[in-house]
């Protein structure tokens, strides 16, 4: 049986990926996750007792642990999702981002270097280390600029994106210097089930349902490209299967939206599916608040390379994906409430009180 090691598989995208892999492949999935505030075993309820799923709580920076897991399970691929992922948290406290995203990735790469160098020649060739990264490493675009291609220079603007950029460089260096067969993907904003409600779309859904204000940073005209998480998972599997070693692939949804458009769309869907008892539209709760420092104006992905070389394009439109997503949150209110009852309230106070 083939084994794939997934790191960060109890987070938003990682847990979707683990479920996806167990459903559509025959592989065993070893899932290494530190269970930070963003890691949640409830995301994995559907695969809790799955015979091909092994969950291990631990840190990607813990060399003895990763050495042991690699030796024990002998994976033919690693997909590295583990990271601190929230831009606003990186502004309030960058240290964890440096620790996990840079130093953690470095330790994981060192562990992989030791493991890979001892593999028999055929297995060495087959092995892949796929590093999941972000479009934010390319910096900010003006309204008219062409979308990011894989050859755009790196220009990260937040501690989060700088830490991801740094990890991308390390991954690249381990290919060029040591020959480790790496792949890097740079993806745009994901949305869908199990996204931690610190991020825009689930935050808006949860605040609206509680009749709380819907905070929009600055003028709401910042633009993001949005991709349904299930499409990101199929893209990663496609790159693992068909990507050329050492290459970078941009992944995007081809759905650029302003933040205000996103919030309007979510409000309108909620008006249909879960109308406020007062009968008043949810848009009334929109509140413009102090901007995010260094707020990137626009991200856009040119996904020509992955479409042309690998044949991947997204299956979901934004219109279909966002209805699925809002419906999922409405059907899983206990999941969100369990999060809201924890340390989440401290974060909300820290990030929004002075805005
Ligand atoms: P998330 O914050 O929801 O999940 C991160 C997971 O990593 C959590 O389960 C957490 O417990 C785990 N983790 C954190 N530090 C760890 C450590 N030191 N060792 C082991 N596990 C650790 O993040 P996400 O939104 O699912 O993002 C996953 C990856 O995809 C990240 O690398 C992120 O940079 C990248 N990405 C995210 C998006 C997006 O829109 N969410 C877009 C592009 C790329
Ligand atoms: O582009 C990919 C990136 O997308 C990933 O690498 C990150 O891990 C992921 O968190 C996401 O980063 P963003 O900063 O774009 O996502 P977030 O949901 O935090 O914010 C989306 C936009 O909405 C952004 O322009 C900031 C704005 N925003 C966000 C929050 C939380 C608001 O206006 N109000 C809010 O309360």
């Amino acid at each position: 049986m083939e084994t794939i090691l997934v790191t960060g598989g109890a987070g938003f995208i990682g847990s979707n990926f683990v479920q996806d892999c167990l459903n559509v492949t025959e592989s065993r999935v070893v899932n290494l996750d530190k269970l930070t505030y963003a890691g949640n075993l409830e995301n994995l309820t559907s695969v809790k007792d799955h015979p091909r799923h092994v969950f291990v709580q631990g840190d990607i920076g813990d060399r003895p642990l990763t050495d042991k897991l690699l030796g024990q399970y002998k994976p033919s691929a690693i997909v590295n999702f583990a990271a601190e992922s929230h831009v606003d948290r990186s502004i309030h406290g960058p240290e964890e981002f440096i620790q996990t995203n840079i130093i953690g990735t470095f330790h994981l790469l060192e562990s992989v270097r030791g493991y890979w160098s001892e593999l028999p020649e055929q297995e060495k060739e087959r092995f892949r280390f796929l590093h999941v990264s972000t479009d934010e490493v390319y910096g900010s675009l003006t309204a008219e600029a062409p979308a990011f291609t894989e050859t755009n220079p790196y220009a990260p603007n937040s501690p989060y994106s700088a830490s991801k950029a740094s990890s991308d460089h390390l991954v690249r260096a381990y290919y060029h210097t040591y020959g480790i067969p790496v792949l890097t993907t740079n993806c745009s904003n994901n949305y869908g089930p199990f996204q931690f409600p610190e991020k825009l779309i689930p935050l808006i859904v949860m605040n609206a349902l509680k009749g709380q204000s819907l905070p929009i940073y600055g003028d709401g005209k910042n633009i993001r490209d949005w991709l349904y998480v299930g499409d990101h998972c199929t893209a990663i599997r496609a790159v693992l299967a068909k990507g050329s070693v050492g290459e970078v692939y941009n992944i995007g949804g081809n759905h650029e939206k302003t933040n205000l458009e996103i919030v309007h769309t979510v409000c309108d869907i909620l008006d249909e599916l879960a109308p406020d008892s007062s009968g008043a539209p949810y848009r009334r709760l929109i509140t413009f608040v102090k901007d995010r420092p260094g707020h990137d104006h626009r991200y856009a992905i040119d996904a020509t390379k992955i479409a042309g070389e690998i044949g991947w394009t997204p299956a979901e439109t934004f219109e279909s994906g966002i209805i699925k997503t809002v419906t999922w949150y409405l059907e899983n209110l206990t999941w969100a409430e369990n999060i809201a009852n924890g340390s989440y309230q401290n974060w909300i106070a820290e990030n929004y009180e002075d805005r």
Side-chain angles (χ1 to χ4, degrees):
M1 195 193 318
E2 284 223 322
T3 298
I4 171 168
L5 173 65
V6 175
T7 73
F12 163 46
I13 308 173
S15 64
N16 276 280
F17 184 78
V18 167
Q19 295 178 57
D20 185 58
C21 267
L22 291 168
N23 286 336
V24 300
T25 75
E26 297 298 315
S27 303
R28 171 168 64 180
V29 178
V30 178
N31 181 353
L32 171 65
D33 195 296
K34 189 177 174 185
L35 296 181
T36 66
Y37 79 91
N40 185 351
L41 288 178
E42 282 192 44
N43 298 358
L44 297 165
T45 306
S46 73
V47 293
K48 189 170 158 273
D49 299 317
H50 197 292
R52 284 185 284 114
H53 180 221
V54 181
F55 181 80
V56 180
Q57 182 172 4
D59 194 319
I60 55 165
D62 180 346
R63 282 284 298 284
L65 174 65
T66 53
D67 287 350
K68 186 180 129 218
L69 292 177
L70 293 175
Q72 183 177 353
Y73 293 107
K74 306 208 177 328
S76 56
I78 299 177
V79 181
N80 185 32
F81 290 100
E84 289 294 331
S85 69
H86 191 32
V87 174
D88 292 319
R89 288 193 194 242
S90 83
I91 295 167
H92 285 259
E95 191 165 349
E96 275 306 307
F97 290 73
I98 308 306
Q99 222 34 271
T100 282
N101 300 3
I102 305 178
I103 298 172
T105 303
F106 159 71
H107 283 300
L108 181 62
L109 284 166
E110 277 291 273
S111 207
V112 169
R113 182 159 78 93
Y115 165 70
W116 179 80
S117 63
E118 299 294 322
L119 287 176
E121 220 38 57
Q122 242 187 340
E123 287 174 40
K124 252 183 169 170
E125 256 175 54
R126 227 161 41 104
F127 180 84
R128 296 288 181 272
F129 180 94
L130 191 149
H131 181 62
V132 180
S133 192
T134 169
D135 58 1
E136 302 203 8
V137 296
Y138 299 121
S140 183
L141 293 170
T142 58
E144 308 76 32
F148 300 129
T149 69
E150 290 78 0
T151 56
N152 268 62
Y154 273 31
N157 293 317
S158 72
Y160 162 69
S161 53
S163 67
K164 290 296 291 186
S166 184
S167 65
D168 295 6
H169 291 323
L170 283 170
V171 170
R172 177 190 161 89
Y174 272 64
Y175 166 65
H176 284 278
T177 306
Y178 304 113
I180 303 206
V182 307
L183 297 154
T184 299
T185 54
N186 293 88
C187 187
S188 59
N189 283 60
N190 284 214
Y191 66 100
F194 301 109
Q195 185 166 32
F196 195 85
E198 65 191 353
K199 308 283 166 60
L200 182 67
I201 290 177
L203 180 99
I204 295 301
V205 174
M206 300 323 296
N207 279 20
L209 293 176
K210 285 188 237 142
Q212 293 172 352
S213 67
L214 310 179
I216 298 198
Y217 299 164
D219 60 9
K221 292 188 180 148
N222 302 67
I223 294 167
R224 299 289 181 267
D225 171 65
W226 293 90
L227 179 72
Y228 188 70
V229 65
D231 278 328
H232 191 185
C233 294
T234 58
I236 289 171
R237 282 197 290 106
V239 172
L240 257 187
K242 298 189 198 157
S244 302
V245 165
E247 289 292 314
V248 174
Y249 294 92
N250 281 358
I251 304 173
N254 225 356
H255 289 296
E256 283 185 57
K257 306 271 178 205
T258 66
N259 292 338
L260 200 52
E261 284 173 319
I262 293 289
V263 175
H264 282 164
T265 304
V266 171
C267 287
D268 297 350
I269 294 173
L270 285 174
D271 285 341
E272 284 286 314
L273 299 182
D276 191 279
S277 52
S278 67
Y282 287 109
R283 286 190 189 202
R284 76 185 190 287
L285 299 170
I286 289 174
T287 311
F288 291 90
V289 299
K290 198 163 106 195
D291 210 350
R292 173 185 278 176
H295 197 174
D296 285 337
H297 177 65
R298 172 175 167 242
Y299 307 136
I301 286 278
D302 180 338
T304 310
K305 181 174 172 181
I306 189 171
E309 276 187 26
I310 292 180
W312 175 88
T313 51
E316 209 74 55
T317 64
F318 182 73
E319 291 66 31
S320 61
I322 193 68
I323 290 182
K324 268 192 189 175
T325 302
V326 175
T327 305
W328 186 88
Y329 281 93
L330 291 172
E331 288 171 354
N332 291 275
L333 288 174
T334 321
W335 174 90
E337 275 154 20
N338 288 346
I339 290 171
N341 291 336
S343 61
Y344 180 69
Q345 290 308 332
N346 303 338
W347 165 248
I348 293 297
E350 188 180 340
N351 192 40
Y352 294 97
E353 241 164 33
D354 293 337
R355 279 205 137 96

